[in-house]
Amino acid sequence: MNDPTPASPKTSCGSGCSCASAPNDEGNSTRRSVIKGLGATLGVAAYAKALAPLTELTKETSMDEFLQKHYKELSKEEIATVIARLTRETKEKYGADVTISDPKPQEGVKFGYALNLSICNGCRKCAEACHLENNHDRASHQSYIRVFEMSKGSMDFEKGNVHYDHPVPQPDKYYMPVQCQQCEHPPCVDVCPVEATWKENDGIVVVDYNWCIGCRYCEAACPYHARRFNWQKPQIPAAEVNPDQGYLSNRIRPQGVMEKCTFCLHRTRNGRLPACLEACPTGARVFGDLNDPNSEVRYVLENKRVFVLKEELGLKPQFFYFFDE
Amino acid sequence: MSDPAVSPSKPVPEWRQYLRFAWNAFSQSVEGGWKFYVWMTLLTAIFLVGANAWALQVRDGMAVTAMSDHVSWGLYIANFTFLVGLAAGGVMMVIPAYLYHDEKMHDIVIIGELLAIAAIIMSIMFVVCDLGRPDRFWHMMPGLGKFNFPVSMLTWDVIVLNGYLLINVHICGYLLYKRFRSQPPVAKMYVPAVFLSIVWAISIHTVTAFLYCGLGGRPFWNTALLAPRFLASAFVSGPAFIIVAIQIIRWQTGRMFGEGAIRTLVAIIRITILISLLMVASEVFVEFYTGGSHTGAAKYLYFGLHGHNELVPWIWTALAFTITAVILFMQPKVNRRPLILNTACLLAFVGLWIEKGMGMIIPAFVPSTLHEIVEYRPSLTEWKITAGIWALGFMIYTLLLKVTINIHSRKLKDTSGVRTVAPDDALAMGDGSGFV
Amino acid sequence: MSLLLKKHPALAWIALVVFASLCSLAVVWAQKNHAPAPAAPVAPNEPKPKPHPVTIKPGPATPRLDTGLKDPTGQPITAACSTCHSTTTPNVARNSAHDLFQAHRGLDYAHGSLTCLSCHNAKDYDTLHLADGRGVAFPDVMTLCAQCHGTAMRDYLHGSHGGMNGHWNLAQGPRVRNNCVNCHDPHHPKFPLVRPVLPPRDRISVPTGH
């Protein structure tokens, strides 16, 4: 701002700027231009060097992926093309042969999940099954389920602990697995700026992993700590990749996007039980169609002492907890 | 460059004149003495360090930050929040100048508006750096992608931030252009925008507060006081920055101006900083007097929780700074003693940066929604990127101020017909309405 | 401000209109968002496909005692319960684990106040018996359990007790369900303590001991 360069008093303009180029200033001006040119070249080179890591990304992200449309706007053929590309990329990046399907919600079905707190013993087999089924990053022990060891006589999570590492169940404790509650009014869906997450007709809240921009607003909005972010590219040995994959569920997620529990929709939309339920050694988990009055989950809702987590928030979870003692 | 087709009888279209002005302004703004080049080189170097850190973050994933699924927003969003406030605070120059016809503010109102431009650009950059997939930025663009308006408050924020940027670019650009052309500005071309910018300044910070306070799952944010609190603190940090900026400009240009404006700004800060502090106090009262699980975040912030106290030094530093600033601002001699004034401004600025940044964003995540405690301390990458964006912000502000000073001191002007701006410059072929 | 409004009264109107439209926008959205979800279409009473079966894993086969001896081909020699018990008189006095000897020494036994002969059939040790004395084969043990554990059985029959595998929708596939004794040791039905698997890891993993 302040300008110590010798001024040419004749020019109305202050010195130091190019407009002050009176003829007698020519040599000075040329030298300045050269220095400036040099500076600019160095600057551009420095910028290129600084941003060089970005060029390595082109290997990770193809142009097709970059230009891919939102899931809901893809035609059947386009989905097939995308799935073929993803299958190929999984082979290239993970060395695994996988089958990616895109099952749609079943007509008239609305999924509900109930969990029996009287018999859950806190073994975390459900979290492990989730980890394996959903192709989670191995090193981080990622899972959509967190199991809390709670003090009997208290519903306060502040007295809970997820890092317990002793034989379970402890006599003065009960165990509370928490995963996505598939809210009727999901705040995560409301806050997403790009509609990358939405609630499907069967009640499952899904994420389009190829549309999410990774702002993590949904993670801030979720009161159940149900959402997970891919802080880096998930690492899974080829032999451990679950090849039965769903486009909206357990296919290996890209880096930098959100993911969440989908009630294993690649299984449940084909009539199968979720992986966490099958893994439960105590039978604490009950899954079914809330619209079917004869379903197991409806029996629980009508005959047990049922509650939902943080009911006061008014989000109407479709995940229920119950006691039978 | 002089186009024979453009004869004096057929005036150059206004938009081309404007582009000429913009180019002139830009090319002149990067000219300067050695101090200027040292300053800009330093900022460029810091910016490049940040740019490199960001490139690595994009390549390797956000794992290079210290954020986690528990603390999913960190230093970036903290800075974003503060900078939106800074941008809104810039408008505190406009209100006295245009609403109350405070003539001494008129001259320097542009300093606040330029600050708003720089701060908004910085805040947008902080959001971009927080994205896991910046390559998918286009998904947010209305028309191209899917814009979840009006449900997502983030889309509101995108609108108000970009709108505020445009409004301020228009006002500053228009006023400078007119002065450059030596024409008096036409009121209807910019006065409506000025009034709009006042409402808009309030809206950017209100919407930013609504981003947070509408989340039922985060009790620390879930308070109706958040937006007023944001505004009150914005009207401290903005004026505080401008007071220091005015003095630096005076020192650098040797021109004495803005003494009355500084007095007005100090008077504003004296009120707003007390309101801001009062709001913090009432938040603290409600939190601790009520007690219960929802107090966990406040406990963690001020005293540490279950042996975790990462944020305690931050918030007490912020409080100490702010309270010291209050005491200094209340001194009658603050207007006569630049040292006291600048110390007070700096303390208030840094204090609020902490309080509204780390002190506002992080505790909402600790303890988590399920009361787990996972702490957060920004990683080196985050500090690098943060420094880089601040450096870029200072660069932008420096260049904008330089253009403004050049134009206002008539160092840079459209000298119709006289080829001093640049040889063969089409601007020089202008309509000749200049009165210099 | 008043000065301004005197000069441009239209400004106040513009502000009002903008505010009102924003409010109505918000209200419209809130309505849209919180209106009761449309009832899911109920499937018409079309003939349902024949459901797939629910298989309950059978209980253990009739137990045999490993004598510890090997036959000439190297196969272990086992003996039916009745081999010994047919020649002895049942001793109803022996009712706790430490009273037992020979083949039953060290049996971990904790099942309420039941005695051995509450379930084992003194008339035919290769079977069990119900409360009314009728015999029941080992694989059908659930009938026996259900006599006391009526609520558990009721829940079991409604699918809300006991682990399972397969399909929630029997129209699409079969289901296999656990038998009582797949999970509960009949001599010690309370679940044993187990070591939890897959400890969660956070970025900064803090084992909060609070």
Side-chain angles (χ1 to χ4, degrees):
Chain A
M1 267 169 264
N2 126 338
D3 207 337
T5 322
S8 162
K10 278 172 210 151
T11 50
S12 60
C13 184
S15 59
C17 32
S18 62
C19 65
S21 53
N24 60 344
D25 249 355
E26 204 124 297
N28 190 17
S29 174
T30 318
R31 195 163 61 243
R32 288 192 71 129
S33 303
V34 169
I35 293 172
K36 266 161 63 183
L38 198 69
T41 315
L42 276 175
V44 169
Y47 271 77
K49 182 80 184 146
L51 295 174
L54 292 181
T55 58
E56 294 168 41
L57 273 181
T58 47
K59 281 176 241 150
E60 280 291 317
T61 310
S62 62
M63 193 43 101
D64 287 340
E65 190 197 322
F66 178 69
L67 294 174
Q68 188 179 322
K69 287 189 284 190
H70 189 276
Y71 171 79
K72 288 184 184 173
E73 286 171 1
L74 292 171
S75 68
K76 265 210 166 78
E77 296 74 41
E78 286 169 323
I79 275 276
T81 316
V82 168
I83 285 178
R85 191 191 77 224
L86 290 172
T87 313
R88 198 175 60 241
E89 285 177 358
T90 313
K91 180 71 182 165
E92 284 163 12
K93 292 179 193 167
Y94 292 90
D97 294 298
V98 300
T99 314
I100 301 174
S101 62
D102 181 33
K104 302 289 181 195
Q106 291 187 22
E107 190 79 15
V109 169
K110 187 165 184 186
F111 289 125
Y113 213 142
L115 197 146
N116 191 342
L117 292 176
S118 298
I119 58 177
C120 172
N121 69 349
C123 67
R124 285 200 292 250
K125 284 265 204 274
C126 51
E128 184 188 52
C130 175
H131 177 73
L132 300 173
E133 175 72 25
N134 288 304
N135 290 313
H136 280 296
D137 178 58
R138 288 297 179 254
S140 59
H141 281 197
Q142 189 63 284
S143 170
Y144 297 137
I145 305 173
R146 282 180 97 77
V147 185
F148 286 77
E149 185 174 70
M150 307 283 282
S151 294
K152 278 188 179 163
S154 167
M155 275 283 183
D156 194 344
F157 279 103
E158 199 173 348
K159 300 194 184 82
N161 171 27
V162 290
H163 293 279
Y164 60 89
D165 186 25
H166 46 215
V168 289
Q170 292 288 303
D172 53 340
K173 306 285 186 191
Y174 70 102
Y175 297 85
M176 188 151 187
V178 183
Q179 63 202 81
C180 176
Q181 313 278 306
Q182 315 288 359
C183 306
E184 190 67 44
H185 304 306
C188 52
V189 169
D190 286 350
V191 300
C192 178
V194 294
E195 298 177 29
T197 182
W198 64 92
K199 194 171 174 67
E200 298 247 298
N201 285 339
D202 53 5
I204 297 176
V205 176
V206 294
V207 179
D208 181 352
Y209 308 127
N210 282 25
W211 190 260
C212 171
I213 58 172
C215 70
R216 305 189 297 291
Y217 196 8
C218 55
E219 198 166 26
C222 174
Y224 300 106
H225 189 69
R227 293 196 160 243
R228 304 284 186 273
F229 185 68
N230 285 280
W231 299 95
Q232 57 193 350
K233 189 177 149 192
Q235 299 296 335
I236 313 160
E240 290 179 29
V241 171
N242 175 7
D244 172 22
Q245 301 187 350
Y247 183 84
L248 290 174
S249 59
N250 66 336
R251 71 179 161 102
I252 302 178
R253 275 76 65 194
Q255 170 178 299
V257 303
M258 294 305 306
E259 57 176 88
K260 65 182 287 298
C261 164
T262 60
F263 279 178
C264 285
L265 65 79
H266 54 284
R267 299 167 65 107
T268 50
R269 283 184 178 173
N270 292 320
R272 294 173 65 199
L273 290 160
C276 46
L277 186 146
E278 290 199 339
C280 180
T282 65
R285 289 169 170 268
V286 182
F287 181 81
D289 177 9
L290 290 171
N291 284 342
D292 175 3
N294 299 316
S295 68
E296 290 80 3
V297 68
R298 279 285 289 271
Y299 171 80
V300 169
L301 297 191
E302 283 153 24
N303 293 284
K304 297 292 183 182
R305 278 171 288 157
V306 177
F307 73 98
V308 295
L309 268 191
K310 304 194 184 191
E311 187 181 4
E312 70 278 10
L313 295 177
L315 307 174
K316 296 213 167 67
Q318 283 157 51
F319 194 102
F320 308 89
Y321 294 90
F322 69 102
F323 296 97
D324 61 9
E325 278 163 19
Chain B
M1 277 306 280
S2 78
D3 186 352
V6 182
S7 63
S9 60
K10 193 181 172 202
V12 181
E14 195 82 4
W15 65 269
R16 277 191 65 179
Q17 295 272 24
Y18 193 88
L19 283 184
R20 281 280 153 196
F21 149 72
W23 171 247
N24 263 271
F26 174 73
S27 52
Q28 294 249 322
S29 70
V30 295
E31 299 287 341
W34 67 271
K35 270 196 216 161
F36 170 73
Y37 283 121
V38 167
W39 170 241
M40 291 304 273
T41 308
L42 179 74
L43 291 179
T44 308
I46 298 173
F47 172 70
L48 285 176
V49 169
N52 181 247
W54 177 72
L56 288 169
Q57 175 188 292
V58 172
R59 188 191 71 183
D60 299 338
M62 304 288 282
V64 297
T65 71
M67 289 184 273
S68 59
D69 282 326
H70 290 84
V71 186
S72 52
W73 280 343
L75 194 60
Y76 303 147
I77 296 297
N79 274 285
F80 157 76
T81 313
F82 176 78
L83 284 165
V84 173
L86 192 58
V91 88
M92 271 326 248
M93 312 278 288
V94 181
I95 294 177
Y98 285 87
L99 283 187
Y100 298 103
H101 301 281
D102 184 340
E103 288 304 323
K104 60 186 180 293
M105 295 295 274
H106 251 279
D107 286 345
I108 53 165
V109 82
I110 202 162
I111 295 176
E113 280 162 343
L114 294 176
L115 173 64
I117 293 175
I120 288 285
I121 293 174
M122 287 165 76
S123 64
I124 292 173
M125 291 195 74
F126 270 112
V127 172
V128 171
C129 286
D130 192 60
L131 292 184
R133 296 301 297 235
D135 53 318
R136 296 183 185 167
F137 195 72
W138 66 274
H139 292 179
M140 262 229 231
M141 292 179 190
L144 266 182
K146 275 190 174 284
F147 198 57
N148 191 12
F149 186 81
V151 184
S152 170
M153 288 317 293
L154 200 51
T155 56
W156 285 72
D157 220 27
V158 169
I159 291 172
V160 293
L161 289 183
N162 286 297
Y164 194 58
L165 182 60
L166 289 180
I167 292 171
N168 280 294
V169 166
H170 166 72
I171 296 172
C172 297
Y174 179 75
L175 289 178
L176 290 178
Y177 169 65
K178 279 298 180 187
R179 195 166 170 96
F180 173 76
R181 296 286 309 275
S182 306
Q183 293 166 349
V186 182
K188 74 170 198 293
M189 285 297 289
Y190 76 103
V191 173
V194 168
F195 285 115
L196 187 60
S197 79
I198 296 173
V199 183
W200 212 283
I202 308 228
S203 86
I204 59 168
H205 221 22
T206 309
V207 168
T208 304
F210 287 179
L211 268 184
Y212 309 117
C213 68
L215 304 180
R218 305 268 172 203
F220 186 74
W221 287 339
N222 194 211
T223 158
L225 201 52
L226 204 66
R229 205 180 139 184
F230 272 21
L231 282 170
S233 62
F235 294 155
V236 176
S237 56
F241 190 92
I242 292 166
I243 289 174
V244 176
I246 288 175
Q247 292 176 74
I248 292 176
I249 297 166
R250 290 204 297 213
W251 167 52
Q252 286 294 313
T253 58
R255 282 157 30 96
M256 282 309 288
F257 70 98
E259 195 54 44
I262 290 182
R263 277 172 198 277
T264 309
L265 290 175
V266 168
I268 290 172
I269 292 180
R270 279 177 175 160
I271 308 292
T272 51
I273 199 167
L274 282 181
I275 297 177
S276 176
L277 215 54
L278 173 70
M279 289 186 184
V280 173
S282 37
E283 288 270 33
V284 167
F285 169 77
V286 171
E287 291 279 6
F288 287 101
Y289 196 80
T290 313
S293 289
H294 286 182
T295 311
K299 274 189 199 151
Y300 172 72
L301 175 62
Y302 289 100
F303 305 110
L305 192 61
H306 304 300
H308 304 282
N309 42 26
E310 188 69 38
L311 284 181
V312 176
W314 286 87
I315 196 66
W316 287 103
T317 308
L319 282 179
F321 278 21
T322 315
I323 290 170
T324 314
V326 169
I327 295 168
L328 292 180
F329 273 121
M330 292 306 147
Q331 308 283 325
K333 62 184 176 217
V334 75
N335 279 325
R336 296 190 307 273
R337 301 273 296 276
L339 183 67
I340 297 181
L341 178 63
N342 291 335
T343 311
C345 286
L346 198 70
L347 288 176
F349 191 80
V350 176
L352 287 171
W353 178 75
I354 296 174
E355 188 215 304
K356 234 163 105 181
M358 294 293 282
M360 174 61 63
I361 301 304
I362 314 305
F365 296 95
V366 192
S368 78
T369 48
L370 298 179
H371 294 270
E372 288 181 65
I373 298 179
V374 176
E375 293 201 279
Y376 166 78
R377 174 185 289 180
S379 72
L380 186 60
T381 301
E382 286 171 275
W383 282 118
K384 281 180 185 169
I385 292 178
T386 301
I389 294 176
W390 275 92
L392 184 77
F394 275 114
M395 259 195 270
I396 292 171
Y397 195 47
T398 306
L399 295 184
L400 290 174
L401 280 179
K402 217 163 160 325
V403 172
T404 307
I405 292 161
N406 282 349
I407 289 175
H408 270 256
S409 62
R410 315 211 55 77
K411 202 190 232 180
L412 176 64
K413 65 184 173 197
D414 184 2
T415 44
S416 8
V418 188
R419 291 181 176 183
T420 49
V421 173
D424 294 335
D425 196 311
L427 258 183
M429 312 287 282
D431 57 15
S433 67
F435 47 77
V436 176
Chain C
M1 198 68 188
S2 58
L3 213 148
L4 167 79
L5 289 180
K6 239 179 256 168
K7 247 172 127 183
H8 311 280
L11 274 179
W13 281 109
I14 292 170
L16 247 172
V17 168
V18 168
F19 183 66
S21 46
L22 282 181
C23 286
S24 37
L25 199 66
V27 168
V28 166
W29 166 67
Q31 293 288 334
K32 186 189 106 194
N33 202 38
H34 293 291
V42 180
N45 287 331
E46 58 195 29
K48 280 188 178 168
K50 196 169 172 287
H52 289 266
V54 177
T55 317
I56 298 175
K57 288 186 198 162
T62 310
R64 293 181 70 85
L65 183 78
D66 187 349
T67 58
L69 304 170
K70 299 268 166 74
D71 70 6
T73 62
Q75 294 298 312
I77 297 173
T78 60
C81 304
S82 53
T83 310
C84 300
H85 282 287
S86 57
T87 61
T88 56
T89 319
N91 183 352
V92 283
R94 290 188 193 278
N95 264 329
S96 63
H98 65 263
D99 286 342
L100 297 170
F101 57 95
Q102 292 183 358
H104 304 307
R105 183 168 291 136
L107 176 73
D108 181 17
Y109 177 77
H111 195 153
S113 56
L114 295 185
T115 68
C116 306
L117 295 180
S118 300
C119 301
H120 290 282
N121 191 349
K123 291 178 196 143
D124 174 4
Y125 275 95
D126 292 329
T127 62
L128 301 162
H129 76 90
L130 301 178
D132 62 2
R134 279 182 294 153
V136 57
F138 273 95
D140 301 329
V141 65
M142 284 184 71
T143 333
L144 173 60
C145 305
Q147 295 181 119
C148 298
H149 302 285
T151 53
M153 190 61 182
R154 180 197 64 206
D155 291 345
Y156 181 90
L157 291 174
H158 287 99
S160 68
H161 183 113
M164 58 179 85
N165 277 273
H167 292 73
W168 64 269
N169 186 354
L170 294 175
Q172 289 177 282
R175 188 185 302 169
V176 179
R177 304 196 57 188
N178 287 335
N179 188 304
C180 305
V181 295
N182 290 146
C183 305
H184 302 284
D185 178 343
H187 293 124
H188 190 119
K190 193 176 176 354
F191 251 74
L193 293 188
V194 295
R195 199 90 200 170
V197 296
L198 197 82
R201 283 182 195 158
D202 308 322
R203 170 156 304 247
I204 310 154
S205 195
V206 190
T208 44
H210 65 269

